[in-house]
Amino acid sequence: MNEALIRSLTPSVLAVLVRRGADFAAAEDAVQDALVEAVRGWPADPPRDAKGWLVTVAWRRFLDASRSDAARRRREDRAEEEPAPGPAPAVDDTLQLYFLCAHPSLTPSSAVALTLRAVGGLTTRQIAEAYLVPEATMAQRISRAKRTVSDVRFDQPGDVATVLRVLYLVFNEGYSGDVDLSAEAIRLTRQLAARVDHPEVAGLLALMLLHHARRATRAAPDGSLVPLAEQDRGRWDTASIAEGVVILQAALARDRLGEFQAQAAIAALHADAATVEETDWVQILEWYDELVRLTDSPVVRLNRAVAVGEADGPRAGLAALAELTDSSPASSKRGSPMPRHTAVAAYLHERDGDVATAARLYAEAAHQALNLAERDYLTRQAARLNTLRRG
């Protein structure tokens, strides 16, 4: 059985049921029942029209559930007008499904889970394993999300920017369980790009491809973190890089710059450098200036400080970092405006030759690290510099 085919058909089948009048939550349950039946029956007897088969079975499951529901009398007429089996309609409402699953009324975590379930076709178990939570917990999260959007009109205009943020959240989760969420995010973004002509959709797809191209080199065999400057560039996926650059160039040519296009441009410049020494930091800094203009995000300003340090020298980078700290309301509350701030300060002090300060800051950054891989890497940097000082 072709699992990829079933998953690719899931959103369009769900959209057909909703378009026929099924509420979203009941339609999604019916589609999942149809998928289970497909898994059981297709290997021995595959249908000629896979989508039509799924639509027919899912609609019948929905009607069966409706008849036993308290609202049977409201839906009786619909049950008597069951469409005859046959080819599924050509109308594709998948884009509306993206908008529904990324509705502003949902929390980011709920939008991600609902997108993976309804658009991605993943099972609740797969999503739970990917996010390292019990299946029952994820089932409750998805159920709440479905209830939240159950009264949203299916043809209501959606917000592409919200959908892109949800897909980027999925991408950044990486790999866990038996689902590669980064690859799944790329697949879903390709699917979205085929349905909406928007330069930021293309920008996000390019960004994902360019980042994913470096995936095999981000960790050592023992699982330890390998920073960009130390990665084996000969192992980067050149086909993904080439595809990402082509998509990005076409998006930029439309002269409607957005944050994902700017981020992709920075990733492309890193990918274009055969060695870390050949990195065009001046141009990268220019793109960070564009990102600051577009978003004014503290995280962007932090990354810009690194680019300043590489393009104009470590002291200039430290000055940019000091401006960020002074202007951030969080700096007075936590001593550091955001994760990685202390690590960036340590790196720039080391570049400036202040080994003692850098070692101390690396140790502090290790205590602030958000995951084990980062903590171990920063601890090793502090130990390396302390050994250098003693030597």
Side-chain angles (χ1 to χ4, degrees), residues 292-303:
V292 168
R293 180 182 63 80
L294 289 166
T295 70
D296 198 28
S297 158
V299 174
V300 170
R301 287 185 175 276
L302 179 64
N303 291 331

Side-chain angles (χ1 to χ4, degrees), residues 14 35 41 43 59 100 152 159 164 169 197 219 224 284 290 303 313 315 330 368 378 386:
L14 177 54
L35 295 179
W59 184 250
L100 189 64
V152 177
D159 179 18
L164 296 182
L169 285 173
D197 183 21
S224 59
I284 287 174
E290 289 288 348
N303 291 331
R315 294 196 177 183
Q368 300 167 357
L378 293 167
N386 283 326

Side-chain angles (χ1 to χ4, degrees), residues 133-183:
V133 299
E135 184 173 351
T137 300
M138 185 56 68
Q140 291 174 353
R141 183 180 302 174
I142 293 171
S143 294
R144 285 195 299 269
K146 289 194 292 185
R147 288 196 298 271
T148 299
V149 300
S150 61
D151 294 328
V152 177
R153 282 199 349 262
F154 190 61
D155 58 353
Q156 181 176 316
D159 179 18
V160 172
T162 303
V163 175
L164 296 182
R165 284 193 289 273
V166 170
L167 292 175
Y168 197 39
L169 285 173
V170 176
F171 179 79
N172 285 327
E173 286 298 325
Y175 178 86
S176 184
D178 63 353
V179 176
D180 185 338
L181 289 179
S182 294

Side-chain angles (χ1 to χ4, degrees), residues 30 33 57-69 79 82:
D33 287 343
V57 173
W59 184 250
R60 286 174 177 167
R61 293 293 177 273
F62 165 70
L63 293 176
D64 289 343
S66 297
R67 291 188 184 103
S68 62
D69 194 57
E82 176 183 347

